[in-house]
Amino acid sequence: MNIGELTFEEFKAWAAEFHGYPAPGLLIGAYMVEMAKREMPEGTLFEVVVETHKCLPDAVQMLTLCSTGNSWMRVNNLGRYALSMFDKFTGEGVRVWLDADKMEKFPETRSWFLKERAKKDQDTDLLFREIKEAGESTCSMERIIIPEKHLGHKHMRTIGLCPVCGEAYPTNDGAICRGCQGEATYISLERRPVAQASPELKAVSAKEAVGRTALHDMTRIAPGESKGAEFKAGQEFSAGDICRLHRMGRQRVFVEELTDPGAEWVHENEAVKHFAGRMAGDGIDYDPDPSEGKINFRAACSGLLTIDRDKLEAFNLVPDVMCTTRQGDIVVEKGKNVAGTRAIPLYISRENYSRAIAVLGEEPLLELLPLRKAKVGVLVTGTEVFKGLVEDKFAPVISSKVQHLGSEVVTTAIAPDDRKAIADSVYAMLDAGVDLIVTTAGLSVDPDDVTRPALIDAGLSDYVYGAPILPGAMTLVGRIGDVQVLGVPACALFYKTTSLDLLLPRLLAGKDISRRDLARMAEGGFCLGCRTCTFPKCPFGK
């Protein structure tokens, strides 16, 4: 079968010249491209998104005007041998993929595609014959539309010089270039350090400092006893301070009177004050005067600590600044410290200061979300409990944890393992005005466990079932209308600490919990099951 206006052999020779060798994926890819092109109305300006970086992009570049260089072709490496061709203005188009279900008549092609044999054991001549015979018959196609947010090209971004390597890069990539963020694929054998300039500071002897003011906080450490600022920035030195300075090992000091760094430098105290003002959101307090060049943040009320993790990472990529926090999404008591920030050197360049401020933007880095006083309905499921064969111990466990977080259990019900009975109990709780329903058990793989389908019958939506947390893998989170739903597996009856303890505070703080949120809990989601539980003062959930 021909490929466009070329015979198979003609395209195979061109592929060898263009690609280095006539790769099977490139030959099949050519049929895929031609199949998609026929679906494009004449005169359509189209673009292509390829879902693999292997071979298929070359087929697109050979048979269309689309390339990575002109941005008409993009590679979204999903690991699938497929491409989408679409009108660049409307997004309407087709998606073509190599379909393993259509390869029964072409066993060598199927074996190559599914990597069932090593390359050295493949019959290359047979493979080429099968590809030629099959043509487009091993491909499938569907109509698609590209969402508006994926149409068009990004405008030219601002270019800056990386403060680490000194090379030009798009500043949208962060405070430093992506290579210096750790994405470089090489190790330089020739060091090209960028001079880390600093303002010229003049030091004077401790004796000469008398009557002058300290340029920065000066820390004194008594091993095992104390650490703190012995002298504060702006403090005037007296004759009696000479001996104290010497005992601290300070023979020379920097003083304000002899320092004029210029407008291109920012003092650590000035910088950290501005950082703190942008970092602190609702529920976060801090002392406006830095101590030893840093500012610590504390909870202004009890609640759930939330952190913009992407912003935190971006801020810490800026040279000469830092911010560190406690674990996010945990309950913090009023007055407890939650984070700290500082400029690392005494003076940072105006450029790095501006980068840090730009990263922080206008939205806060830290917030403390108060836990609402929820009206909770506890639904215990299980025929054995409903019939009184087993004493209910679930409701007391759930009620205790709900009340500990300041909420109220307004109704409790026990339902047998019956979909209609469970759904009816949910309806009754909704009528009672609850805004959070906690169900217990009935979430495993047993045939009698019907809690999840019963919740769906009652209107459960936007739910996620299963979490990378032990104990608590069979947890369910969702909502029925505006009412939150938390399905707690039976493990909560045995273990003192489970997924319930990690997720309940987030729900009371009004946070939606997505599949990605749960996936991020995998690290630290393994409870050690200590004989004496110290949660939350332990690694679980952190």
PDB file of all heavy atoms in Angstrom, residues 356-371:
ATOM      1  N   ALA A 356      12.852  36.676  44.265  1.00  0.00           N
ATOM      2  CA  ALA A 356      12.133  36.056  45.373  1.00  0.00           C
ATOM      3  C   ALA A 356      10.760  36.692  45.556  1.00  0.00           C
ATOM      4  O   ALA A 356       9.755  36.000  45.765  1.00  0.00           O
ATOM      5  CB  ALA A 356      12.951  36.173  46.656  1.00  0.00           C
ATOM      6  N   ILE A 357      10.699  38.000  45.474  1.00  0.00           N
ATOM      7  CA  ILE A 357       9.421  38.701  45.611  1.00  0.00           C
ATOM      8  C   ILE A 357       8.474  38.320  44.485  1.00  0.00           C
ATOM      9  O   ILE A 357       7.267  38.105  44.700  1.00  0.00           O
ATOM     10  CB  ILE A 357       9.641  40.228  45.632  1.00  0.00           C
ATOM     11  CG1 ILE A 357      10.349  40.647  46.925  1.00  0.00           C
ATOM     12  CG2 ILE A 357       8.336  40.974  45.478  1.00  0.00           C
ATOM     13  CD1 ILE A 357       9.520  40.427  48.176  1.00  0.00           C
ATOM     14  N   ALA A 358       9.008  38.193  43.270  1.00  0.00           N
ATOM     15  CA  ALA A 358       8.170  37.819  42.126  1.00  0.00           C
ATOM     16  C   ALA A 358       7.609  36.409  42.298  1.00  0.00           C
ATOM     17  O   ALA A 358       6.451  36.147  41.956  1.00  0.00           O
ATOM     18  CB  ALA A 358       8.975  37.926  40.833  1.00  0.00           C
ATOM     19  N   VAL A 359       8.411  35.496  42.823  1.00  0.00           N
ATOM     20  CA  VAL A 359       7.947  34.128  43.057  1.00  0.00           C
ATOM     21  C   VAL A 359       6.805  34.121  44.069  1.00  0.00           C
ATOM     22  O   VAL A 359       5.797  33.433  43.890  1.00  0.00           O
ATOM     23  CB  VAL A 359       9.100  33.238  43.556  1.00  0.00           C
ATOM     24  CG1 VAL A 359       8.570  31.937  44.141  1.00  0.00           C
ATOM     25  CG2 VAL A 359      10.073  32.940  42.422  1.00  0.00           C
ATOM     26  N   LEU A 360       6.925  34.907  45.126  1.00  0.00           N
ATOM     27  CA  LEU A 360       5.904  34.929  46.169  1.00  0.00           C
ATOM     28  C   LEU A 360       4.597  35.512  45.666  1.00  0.00           C
ATOM     29  O   LEU A 360       3.516  35.082  46.065  1.00  0.00           O
ATOM     30  CB  LEU A 360       6.409  35.715  47.381  1.00  0.00           C
ATOM     31  CG  LEU A 360       7.569  35.075  48.140  1.00  0.00           C
ATOM     32  CD1 LEU A 360       8.065  35.996  49.236  1.00  0.00           C
ATOM     33  CD2 LEU A 360       7.150  33.729  48.731  1.00  0.00           C
ATOM     34  N   GLY A 361       4.681  36.503  44.781  1.00  0.00           N
ATOM     35  CA  GLY A 361       3.477  37.081  44.215  1.00  0.00           C
ATOM     36  C   GLY A 361       2.576  37.708  45.262  1.00  0.00           C
ATOM     37  O   GLY A 361       3.029  38.138  46.330  1.00  0.00           O
ATOM     38  N   GLU A 362       1.285  37.746  44.961  1.00  0.00           N
ATOM     39  CA  GLU A 362       0.327  38.399  45.845  1.00  0.00           C
ATOM     40  C   GLU A 362      -0.424  37.422  46.742  1.00  0.00           C
ATOM     41  O   GLU A 362      -1.010  37.818  47.745  1.00  0.00           O
ATOM     42  CB  GLU A 362      -0.686  39.196  45.006  1.00  0.00           C
ATOM     43  CG  GLU A 362      -0.063  40.285  44.145  1.00  0.00           C
ATOM     44  CD  GLU A 362       0.659  41.344  44.968  1.00  0.00           C
ATOM     45  OE1 GLU A 362       0.210  41.619  46.101  1.00  0.00           O
ATOM     46  OE2 GLU A 362       1.672  41.882  44.481  1.00  0.00           O
ATOM     47  N   GLU A 363      -0.427  36.146  46.387  1.00  0.00           N
ATOM     48  CA  GLU A 363      -1.151  35.155  47.183  1.00  0.00           C
ATOM     49  C   GLU A 363      -0.245  34.580  48.261  1.00  0.00           C
ATOM     50  O   GLU A 363       0.953  34.397  48.049  1.00  0.00           O
ATOM     51  CB  GLU A 363      -1.669  34.027  46.291  1.00  0.00           C
ATOM     52  CG  GLU A 363      -2.677  34.484  45.252  1.00  0.00           C
ATOM     53  CD  GLU A 363      -3.913  35.099  45.881  1.00  0.00           C
ATOM     54  OE1 GLU A 363      -4.388  34.560  46.896  1.00  0.00           O
ATOM     55  OE2 GLU A 363      -4.390  36.131  45.357  1.00  0.00           O
ATOM     56  N   PRO A 364      -0.787  34.261  49.436  1.00  0.00           N
ATOM     57  CA  PRO A 364       0.053  33.804  50.548  1.00  0.00           C
ATOM     58  C   PRO A 364       0.643  32.421  50.309  1.00  0.00           C
ATOM     59  O   PRO A 364       0.073  31.595  49.585  1.00  0.00           O
ATOM     60  CB  PRO A 364      -0.912  33.793  51.734  1.00  0.00           C
ATOM     61  CG  PRO A 364      -2.265  33.622  51.124  1.00  0.00           C
ATOM     62  CD  PRO A 364      -2.208  34.369  49.819  1.00  0.00           C
ATOM     63  N   LEU A 365       1.766  32.192  50.939  1.00  0.00           N
ATOM     64  CA  LEU A 365       2.404  30.883  50.927  1.00  0.00           C
ATOM     65  C   LEU A 365       1.822  29.988  52.024  1.00  0.00           C
ATOM     66  O   LEU A 365       1.677  28.772  51.851  1.00  0.00           O
ATOM     67  CB  LEU A 365       3.915  31.049  51.137  1.00  0.00           C
ATOM     68  CG  LEU A 365       4.756  29.799  51.323  1.00  0.00           C
ATOM     69  CD1 LEU A 365       4.771  28.970  50.053  1.00  0.00           C
ATOM     70  CD2 LEU A 365       6.185  30.166  51.716  1.00  0.00           C
ATOM     71  N   LEU A 366       1.476  30.602  53.147  1.00  0.00           N
ATOM     72  CA  LEU A 366       1.010  29.870  54.323  1.00  0.00           C
ATOM     73  C   LEU A 366      -0.366  30.367  54.740  1.00  0.00           C
ATOM     74  O   LEU A 366      -0.617  31.572  54.748  1.00  0.00           O
ATOM     75  CB  LEU A 366       1.981  30.063  55.496  1.00  0.00           C
ATOM     76  CG  LEU A 366       3.458  29.781  55.247  1.00  0.00           C
ATOM     77  CD1 LEU A 366       4.289  30.372  56.373  1.00  0.00           C
ATOM     78  CD2 LEU A 366       3.697  28.282  55.135  1.00  0.00           C
ATOM     79  N   GLU A 367      -1.244  29.454  55.096  1.00  0.00           N
ATOM     80  CA  GLU A 367      -2.540  29.815  55.655  1.00  0.00           C
ATOM     81  C   GLU A 367      -2.907  28.809  56.742  1.00  0.00           C
ATOM     82  O   GLU A 367      -2.476  27.650  56.715  1.00  0.00           O
ATOM     83  CB  GLU A 367      -3.633  29.819  54.583  1.00  0.00           C
ATOM     84  CG  GLU A 367      -3.566  30.986  53.621  1.00  0.00           C
ATOM     85  CD  GLU A 367      -4.763  31.035  52.703  1.00  0.00           C
ATOM     86  OE1 GLU A 367      -4.810  30.231  51.756  1.00  0.00           O
ATOM     87  OE2 GLU A 367      -5.672  31.857  52.937  1.00  0.00           O
ATOM     88  N   LEU A 368      -3.701  29.263  57.680  1.00  0.00           N
ATOM     89  CA  LEU A 368      -4.206  28.396  58.745  1.00  0.00           C
ATOM     90  C   LEU A 368      -5.732  28.390  58.620  1.00  0.00           C
ATOM     91  O   LEU A 368      -6.384  29.403  58.881  1.00  0.00           O
ATOM     92  CB  LEU A 368      -3.767  28.925  60.112  1.00  0.00           C
ATOM     93  CG  LEU A 368      -3.529  27.932  61.248  1.00  0.00           C
ATOM     94  CD1 LEU A 368      -4.808  27.288  61.701  1.00  0.00           C
ATOM     95  CD2 LEU A 368      -2.508  26.872  60.854  1.00  0.00           C
ATOM     96  N   LEU A 369      -6.278  27.282  58.173  1.00  0.00           N
ATOM     97  CA  LEU A 369      -7.715  27.193  57.949  1.00  0.00           C
ATOM     98  C   LEU A 369      -8.402  26.686  59.214  1.00  0.00           C
ATOM     99  O   LEU A 369      -8.088  25.589  59.692  1.00  0.00           O
ATOM    100  CB  LEU A 369      -8.021  26.234  56.794  1.00  0.00           C
ATOM    101  CG  LEU A 369      -7.365  26.551  55.445  1.00  0.00           C
ATOM    102  CD1 LEU A 369      -7.781  25.518  54.415  1.00  0.00           C
ATOM    103  CD2 LEU A 369      -7.720  27.953  54.978  1.00  0.00           C
ATOM    104  N   PRO A 370      -9.325  27.439  59.770  1.00  0.00           N
ATOM    105  CA  PRO A 370     -10.036  26.971  60.961  1.00  0.00           C
ATOM    106  C   PRO A 370     -10.919  25.776  60.627  1.00  0.00           C
ATOM    107  O   PRO A 370     -11.431  25.658  59.507  1.00  0.00           O
ATOM    108  CB  PRO A 370     -10.867  28.189  61.374  1.00  0.00           C
ATOM    109  CG  PRO A 370     -11.032  28.977  60.120  1.00  0.00           C
ATOM    110  CD  PRO A 370      -9.784  28.770  59.321  1.00  0.00           C
ATOM    111  N   LEU A 371     -11.075  24.876  61.570  1.00  0.00           N
ATOM    112  CA  LEU A 371     -11.952  23.724  61.375  1.00  0.00           C
ATOM    113  C   LEU A 371     -13.386  24.114  61.723  1.00  0.00           C
ATOM    114  O   LEU A 371     -13.641  24.625  62.814  1.00  0.00           O
ATOM    115  CB  LEU A 371     -11.499  22.563  62.263  1.00  0.00           C
ATOM    116  CG  LEU A 371     -10.032  22.117  62.132  1.00  0.00           C
ATOM    117  CD1 LEU A 371      -9.786  20.874  62.978  1.00  0.00           C
ATOM    118  CD2 LEU A 371      -9.654  21.859  60.678  1.00  0.00           C
TER     119      LEU A 371
END
